[in-house]
Amino acid sequence: MPASYAYLGPEGTFTEVALRTLPEAATRELIPYVSVQSALDAVRTGEAEAAFVPIENSVEGGITTTLDELVAGAPLMIYREVLLSITFALLVRPGTGLADIKTVSAHPAAQPQVRNWLKKHLPDAHWESAASNADAARLVQEGQYDAAFAGEFAAARYGLEALETGIHDAENAQTRFVLVGRPARPAAASGSDKTSVVLWQRDDHPGGLRDLLGEFATRGINLMLLQSRPTGAGIGNYCFCIDAEGHITDRRVAEALMGLKRICREVRFLGSYPRADKEPADLQAPLAGTSDEEFMAASDWVARCQDGRF
């Protein structure tokens, strides 16, 4: 049996489309799961080699279900990311017109991306959330709902018609997906990388978040995602999910993580991996004094001072 990748199913999701852009997907058995949680749990239990799930979209930000699953439970690590441009189609059973639609369904992350279109064209339709956009299409096929927002490619899979296509409130909307596996040594730096961590403060105090962000700022590290998530320990108790430019083997990133480990109650490393946009390294030039070479030169200077060789 080939090694398997779990993904947010059923068949016909944007997640499946994004997963199939990875070259290694052609050599894996791709198994749909009913939820992000079940896909990630398949990795934790050894049922799957890795799981492929959505983690962020350009309209609403982080996908909270995925972030929360990565924050809690046995540690997992991100190895790859994929960016996919997203537009929706309104899928219906054959013969259905706009006037016939009383209920619509999709994944909760889809609603902010079609809210204005829905208000203009189907103002009286009742929204029902589904586990995924493809699952919404399946429910339409079964007659539970009148229409689903999903990828146009899902229409044939579920015997539906695309009544409207190219639906999106925001131009150039994208969703970011990640390939998640069990912890191991990160891949070597590519020159265009991202490092993801979760941080828990020791206590709640004025300037606490500034202290955390200062570990990045003083080393010239740009942040690409900052999102707070409740810890479940009561109102006002949060952890922070952060994506930062750079790789853990970069001296400035490593030193930032060491600084965070000193001042945080807990730091969860979620991986260092290639950026999907492959932004050239020369566009990510560190601030003066924060390059690996300057960190090493400063370290050598301190060593010489300690030896009386300054």
Side-chain angles (χ1 to χ4, degrees):
M1 291 290 291
S4 63
Y5 281 175
Y7 70 91
L8 176 61
E11 294 178 357
T13 57
F14 287 110
T15 306
E16 181 187 8
V17 172
L19 172 56
R20 291 186 181 279
T21 67
L22 294 178
E24 59 266 37
T27 64
R28 304 299 197 275
E29 180 184 10
L30 308 184
I31 304 176
Y33 281 74
V34 296
S35 66
V36 168
Q37 181 182 23
S38 60
L40 294 177
D41 281 347
V43 179
R44 289 186 170 111
T45 61
E47 294 177 21
E49 175 188 356
F52 194 76
V53 293
I55 195 170
E56 181 186 5
N57 73 63
S58 59
V59 177
E60 283 289 285
I63 306 295
T64 56
T65 302
T66 301
L67 292 174
D68 290 346
E69 285 299 318
L70 293 176
V71 165
L76 294 171
M77 204 167 92
I78 299 171
Y79 288 93
R80 297 281 299 277
E81 68 173 13
V82 171
L83 293 176
L84 185 71
S85 296
I86 302 291
T87 61
F88 293 91
L90 186 68
L91 304 187
V92 299
R93 293 183 296 277
T96 303
L98 279 179
D100 303 317
I101 297 174
K102 308 303 180 186
T103 55
V104 296
S105 183
H107 187 275
Q111 188 175 24
Q113 302 181 62
V114 300
R115 184 184 295 127
N116 293 334
W117 189 96
L118 193 60
K119 181 179 179 180
K120 179 179 179 180
H121 297 280
L122 292 170
D124 298 322
H126 181 67
W127 176 278
E128 294 284 354
S129 292
S132 68
N133 299 315
D135 193 52
R138 180 185 63 81
L139 295 172
V140 171
Q141 180 190 43
E142 294 178 357
Q144 294 193 40
Y145 304 122
D146 298 324
F149 288 103
E152 185 178 0
F153 46 80
R157 172 66 181 79
Y158 294 99
L160 303 176
E161 293 180 349
L163 187 60
E164 301 281 347
T165 60
I167 300 172
H168 56 273
D169 288 351
E171 294 287 342
N172 303 315
Q174 290 183 311
T175 295
R176 181 166 71 102
F177 301 84
V178 289
L179 184 69
V180 180
R182 289 178 289 278
R185 181 185 294 273
S190 70
S192 180
D193 299 289
K194 179 183 293 184
T195 293
S196 298
V197 293
V198 186
L199 310 176
W200 285 262
Q201 294 176 280
R202 289 188 186 276
D203 54 56
D204 185 19
H205 62 273
L209 180 57
R210 181 200 61 189
D211 295 341
L212 303 184
L213 300 183
E215 296 292 336
F216 296 103
T218 58
R219 295 171 176 87
I221 300 171
N222 187 42
L223 300 187
M224 307 177 72
L225 173 73
L226 170 61
Q227 182 153 338
S228 61
R229 296 301 303 148
T231 63
I235 297 295
N237 288 280
Y238 292 90
C239 61
F240 299 94
C241 302
I242 291 177
D243 289 346
E245 289 183 340
H247 194 276
I248 192 172
T249 58
D250 298 337
R251 285 290 291 269
R252 58 189 177 131
V253 175
E255 291 207 9
L257 295 183
M258 285 189 284
L260 292 165
K261 185 64 176 176
R262 287 188 297 103
I263 66 174
C264 289
R265 175 171 63 84
E266 184 181 350
V267 177
R268 175 169 285 198
F269 176 65
L270 293 181
S272 289
Y273 47 95
R275 290 174 54 168
D277 58 14
K278 297 182 174 62
E279 185 176 333
D282 60 356
L283 296 182
Q284 305 174 55
L287 299 177
T290 63
S291 68
D292 270 14
E293 292 75 16
E294 287 162 316
F295 270 111
M296 288 186 285
S299 179
D300 290 343
W301 176 80
V302 170
R304 292 196 304 273
C305 290
Q306 292 170 339
D307 291 341
R309 296 183 288 111
F310 55 91

